[in-house]
């Protein structure tokens, strides 16, 4: 994948193959193309050349080229960004929250939206969504603030909520993309996140 802005090449011939449960990170100085690469991977911007493919394989997913004889469902970010994005959880550098929704309302809303975007054959009941909301609220340690509107959360709590939203997925097959998720968090909270 290559991404150009005019004559400037921000990302030059990037090739990745990511597998289930694999952790991968981009490291580099400012202006190295990290965020641009993530924006292309997330479908926020189109690559100048190449593409991004997300493959749904039962209980695993990966981004790479298609294997011979594989019957899995493949989503090309250029052709079906909506379906591909529904299998991704993203946390960008800046919190994008609805000020008047509570912590649990955010998580519930994102779960329902993602579930409606992709027909994975998974039928979640109201109870399973409620259980998932409970799990995520506990995971990001926001239980005492689950009913607070996001406008009343501290910066660190808002960041935790953004991370929880990245973990929302209608399927076990998902990719989570975090772009500087601990920006603005103090050292103790940063350690909790990782």
């Amino acid at each position: 994948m290559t991404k150009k802005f005019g004559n400037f090449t921000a990302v030059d011939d990037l090739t990745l193959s990511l597998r289930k449960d694999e952790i991968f990170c981009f490291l580099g100085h400012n202006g190295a193309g990290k965020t641009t690469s993530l924006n292309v991977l997330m479908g926020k911007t189109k690559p100048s050349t190449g593409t991004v493919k997300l493959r749904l394989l039962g209980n695993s997913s990966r981004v790479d080229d298609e294997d011979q004889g594989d019957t899995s469902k493949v989503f090309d970010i250029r052709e079906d960004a909506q379906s591909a994005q529904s299998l991704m959880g993203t946390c960008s550098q800046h919190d994008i929250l609805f000020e008047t929704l509570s912590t649990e309302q955010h998580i519930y809303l994102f779960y329902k939206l993602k579930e409606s975007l992709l027909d994975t054959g998974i039928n979640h009941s109201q109870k399973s969504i409620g259980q998932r909301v409970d799990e995520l609220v506990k995971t990001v340690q926001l239980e005492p603030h689950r009913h607070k509107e996001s406008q009343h959360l501290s910066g660190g709590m808002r960041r935790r909520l953004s991370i929880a939203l990245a973990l929302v997925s209608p399927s076990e097959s998902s990719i989570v993309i975090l772009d500087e998720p601990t920006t603005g968090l103090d050292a103790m909270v940063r350690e909790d996140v990782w």
Side-chain angles (χ1 to χ4, degrees):
M1 177 274 293
T2 297
K3 179 62 181 176
K4 293 183 177 188
F5 297 98
N7 290 330
F8 176 72
T9 302
V11 181
D12 191 15
D13 197 26
L14 174 66
T15 302
L16 296 174
S17 179
L18 306 176
R19 302 199 179 276
K20 182 175 171 60
D21 297 329
E22 189 171 42
I23 297 173
F24 178 83
C25 70
F26 288 114
L27 297 175
H29 56 80
N30 289 343
K34 302 178 300 290
T35 296
T36 299
S37 296
L38 293 177
N39 284 337
V40 172
L41 290 173
M42 292 184 284
K44 289 183 175 182
T45 185
K46 292 188 184 266
S48 302
T49 61
T51 191
V52 174
K53 293 180 182 177
L54 180 69
R55 181 175 303 147
L56 181 60
L57 294 170
N59 286 331
S60 68
S61 58
R62 64 180 178 240
V63 178
D64 64 2
D65 294 329
E66 296 180 53
D67 293 336
Q68 297 295 326
D70 191 352
T71 59
S72 60
K73 206 170 192 179
V74 177
F75 302 100
D76 187 318
I77 201 80
R78 291 186 95 151
E79 297 171 13
D80 190 4
Q82 185 174 342
S83 293
Q85 289 168 342
S86 69
L87 288 174
M88 293 181 196
T90 62
C91 178
S92 64
Q93 292 179 12
H94 307 286
D95 299 323
I96 303 170
L97 303 172
F98 299 100
E99 296 296 313
T100 59
L101 289 183
S102 70
T103 297
E104 71 179 5
Q105 287 171 330
H106 270 94
I107 297 170
Y108 182 87
L109 173 66
F110 273 59
Y111 203 102
K112 291 300 282 183
L113 287 172
K114 286 197 174 191
E115 185 180 64
S116 70
L117 291 176
L118 180 68
D119 178 18
T120 60
I122 298 168
N123 185 13
H124 292 288
S125 69
Q126 294 296 333
K127 184 176 179 184
S128 69
I129 293 173
Q131 288 172 340
R132 185 68 175 141
V133 169
D134 290 342
E135 288 173 12
L136 284 176
V137 168
K138 288 176 188 172
T139 298
V140 296
Q141 300 174 359
L142 286 175
E143 289 176 278
H145 309 285
R146 72 182 301 137
H147 300 292
K148 275 190 188 175
E149 293 178 350
S150 66
Q151 65 186 335
H152 300 299
L153 297 174
S154 70
M157 288 183 228
R158 291 172 63 89
R159 200 68 190 139
R160 288 178 189 211
L161 177 54
S162 292
I163 293 167
L165 297 178
L167 299 174
V168 170
S169 176
S171 168
E172 292 294 316
S173 301
S174 63
I175 293 174
V176 178
I177 298 175
L178 308 172
D179 190 2
E180 300 188 30
T182 57
T183 298
L185 296 179
D186 62 47
M188 289 178 62
V189 175
R190 194 173 291 176
E191 187 176 319
D192 286 344
V193 168
W194 293 118

